[in-house]
Amino acid sequence: MTSARQENLESIPLHTTPACTLKKMLQTYPERKYYLVYLAALFVIVQIISQLTPPFQSPDEPNHLKRAYLLYKGEILLRSQNDITGGAIDTGLLRYMDAFSDLRFHAKTKVSAETVKLSNEEKWTGQREFSELPNTAYYFPLSYTPQALALAIGEALDLRISTSYKLARFFSLAATLGLLGLAFLAAPAPPMVLALFAIPMTLFQLASASLDAVSFALTAFIAALYVRGTDTSETYTRKMHLALTIALFALVTTRINLLPLTLLPLAVYWKRRDKLHVVSTLLLVVLSVTWVLYNLKTVHGMPARQLTTFEIIQFYADHPSQFFHIIAATLTNYHMLGVYAEGFVGVLGWLDAPLPIEGYLIIAGLLVWLAVITFNANVFRAPNANVIVLTTLGLASAALIFIMMLFTWTEHPATIIQGPQGGISPPSPLF
């Protein structure tokens, strides 16, 4: 039987405006108006952090902005020069980035008024110079659309580089909060998800122009659409499924460890029995794996090692016992686990600005408490299939972080995996 809420939503005319649709949905789900307060509070807090943080203080933020610039210029597939992958970047943008390079890995260094004054004078030159960005070259740049749009507007209006950069920060934040808002409308957010967007590391990344914030919001959006798709008492249109498919492609082609999530449409199929869901799953898997394999073969310089990524994969395929030994050594190394935990809560700047130890303990305690509340209020009331699917795919994605870092980042031969620390964790909202 169709629920009253479903009938109420289905009564929304197709030609209605987004504002009317939002009003109708909030009338249908009055408890979700509190999410607007939450989003508004996030916006204010992040804007304050953004004003207090010098440019390019998020790890690899310069390379993220370069990737956005190349998207704006229509360059999807990048080239290599001197065996390092990159692209041609406006020299004014490069000089603006370089003005703040001395702050990297030096948390106690303060930006001078003279540096700010000189950097604010930088303008778009129209001249481009090759610049390296091997780490972000792996990413399909769809998720950089907000930053790319900001840079396009900045250059078209001949704004100063500093203004264009601030616009990129703002557009990234707007896209992140917009995706969160859509996620909240699609399905109620557990307390743990709300908390994860309020921890120091997430707030710091939301204030930057890097990719992490948008990726995090995409994961929450995808999880919400999946939950809605598997709830047959709710409407789940083909437009919603198209949004799920596009969001999944944008996410997994920038966060390779999230490839297991491409199976989510197939899980929706078992509830909805729409063959489109099977087709979208196959399409997602083929396109995503093709992109990953192409970049593993063509992207160079990340990092410089004696063996290629494919050669390292072949080595561990021939020596599986060494592979499992390294995984076990990493997961039982208490120092590394502590580093991962600190990085999850927040090591700010270029991983050079840790919080006081009391801050980690308090935040960890609050997260554990909220996790218990979330499980008690949501998990055991949710369909068992959803719990199994989301937990399995989330754990698989988390495990792939370590595997990918072993194959693509850690120096070979390895005794322990280096790499997955100091950043927010997109699989987290799935739990």
Side-chain angles (χ1 to χ4, degrees):
M1 179 179 294
T2 305
S3 69
R5 284 185 171 183
Q6 182 176 350
E7 292 174 351
N8 199 6
L9 285 176
E10 289 177 339
S11 68
I12 300 175
L14 294 176
H15 61 273
T16 190
T17 64
C20 291
T21 301
L22 176 61
K23 181 179 179 181
K24 186 74 172 180
M25 293 191 78
L26 288 177
Q27 289 173 346
T28 307
Y29 301 96
E31 68 277 6
R32 297 187 189 180
K33 64 184 178 182
Y34 299 109
Y35 292 139
L36 294 178
V37 178
Y38 173 83
L39 292 174
L42 272 186
F43 177 81
V44 172
I45 293 170
V46 172
Q47 283 299 304
I48 293 173
I49 296 173
S50 182
Q51 292 299 317
L52 296 175
T53 306
F56 306 110
Q57 294 312 294
S58 173
D60 298 320
E61 188 178 357
N63 283 1
H64 285 295
L65 203 64
K66 292 176 191 177
R67 194 69 168 104
Y69 174 83
L70 293 172
L71 172 63
Y72 146 52
K73 292 298 183 180
E75 298 180 23
I76 307 298
L77 305 177
L78 305 187
R79 58 190 175 90
S80 295
Q81 185 172 304
N82 297 325
D83 210 29
I84 298 180
T85 304
I89 310 298
D90 188 281
T91 55
L93 180 58
L94 290 176
R95 286 198 298 268
Y96 182 72
M97 292 177 179
D98 189 60
F100 300 94
S101 60
D102 290 342
L103 300 179
R104 302 175 193 173
F105 307 110
H106 298 91
K108 295 183 180 180
T109 302
K110 305 297 181 183
V111 61
S112 67
E114 183 68 15
T115 297
V116 173
K117 179 181 178 181
L118 291 175
S119 65
N120 284 340
E121 295 175 358
E122 293 290 351
K123 302 194 70 176
W124 299 98
T125 65
Q127 299 177 353
R128 298 170 67 184
E129 179 180 297
F130 183 85
S131 183
E132 303 169 358
L133 57 148
N135 53 343
T136 57
Y138 281 104
Y139 303 155
F140 189 84
L142 179 60
S143 298
Y144 288 105
T145 300
Q147 297 93 323
L149 181 60
L151 297 180
I153 293 173
E155 187 169 17
L157 299 179
D158 197 27
L159 302 178
R160 296 187 184 276
I161 300 292
S162 58
T163 304
S164 303
Y165 169 73
K166 292 176 183 176
L167 198 62
R169 276 186 172 184
F170 180 81
F171 276 28
S172 174
L173 175 61
T176 298
L177 297 183
L179 285 168
L180 271 182
L182 291 174
F184 295 159
L185 288 175
M192 191 63 176
V193 171
L194 302 179
L196 288 172
F197 279 93
I199 61 177
M201 197 71 208
T202 312
L203 293 173
F204 184 73
Q205 295 296 74
L206 260 65
S208 75
S210 70
L211 185 66
D212 286 335
V214 173
S215 297
F216 202 31
L218 273 173
T219 311
F221 177 62
I222 289 166
L225 281 178
Y226 166 76
V227 170
R228 187 182 184 92
T230 54
D231 185 352
T232 54
S233 69
E234 296 281 2
T235 56
Y236 183 74
T237 65
R238 287 197 164 188
K239 288 183 179 179
M240 291 180 180
H241 190 73
L242 177 63
L244 173 65
T245 305
I246 294 173
L248 277 168
F249 180 75
L251 181 64
V252 302
T253 51
T254 56
R255 297 291 182 261
I256 299 175
N257 64 290
L258 297 180
L259 276 173
L261 299 191
T262 56
L263 299 178
L264 282 177
L266 191 60
V268 176
Y269 167 78
W270 293 110
K271 284 287 187 178
R272 299 285 175 170
R273 295 297 175 178
D274 187 336
K275 292 182 180 178
L276 175 65
H277 302 160
V278 178
V279 174
S280 62
T281 300
L282 294 174
L283 191 63
L284 265 174
V285 171
V286 170
L287 291 178
S288 301
V289 172
T290 300
W291 175 261
V292 170
L293 292 177
Y294 171 81
N295 283 282
L296 287 175
K297 187 70 174 178
T298 61
V299 174
H300 304 288
M302 176 65 186
R305 296 184 297 178
Q306 292 182 344
L307 299 181
T308 67
T309 297
F310 280 110
E311 288 173 336
I312 292 174
I313 293 174
Q314 183 61 52
F315 173 84
Y316 288 114
D318 295 336
H319 304 84
S321 61
Q322 291 193 35
F323 171 80
F324 290 109
H325 176 77
I326 293 171
I327 295 292
T330 302
L331 296 179
T332 55
N333 186 301
Y334 294 112
H335 171 72
M336 292 303 297
L337 292 178
V339 170
Y340 300 152
E342 288 180 359
F344 178 84
V345 172
V347 179
L348 310 184
W350 284 71
L351 311 184
D352 55 4
L355 304 176
I357 186 62
E358 296 82 5
Y360 291 113
L361 294 176
I362 292 172
I363 293 172
L366 288 173
L367 289 177
V368 170
W369 175 63
L370 285 172
V372 172
I373 292 177
T374 298
F375 271 73
N376 286 338
N378 293 281
V379 172
F380 296 112
R381 298 179 187 177
N384 289 335
N386 277 358
V387 177
I388 294 171
V389 169
L390 290 177
T391 301
T392 301
L393 295 183
L395 288 173
S397 298
L400 274 177
I401 295 176
F402 294 92
I403 296 173
M404 293 305 301
M405 287 300 99
L406 176 61
F407 292 162
T408 64
W409 179 264
T410 303
E411 188 62 42
H412 184 80
T415 57
I416 195 170
I417 300 172
Q418 303 287 340
Q421 69 248 20
I424 55 182
S425 178
S428 300
L430 295 177
F431 294 96

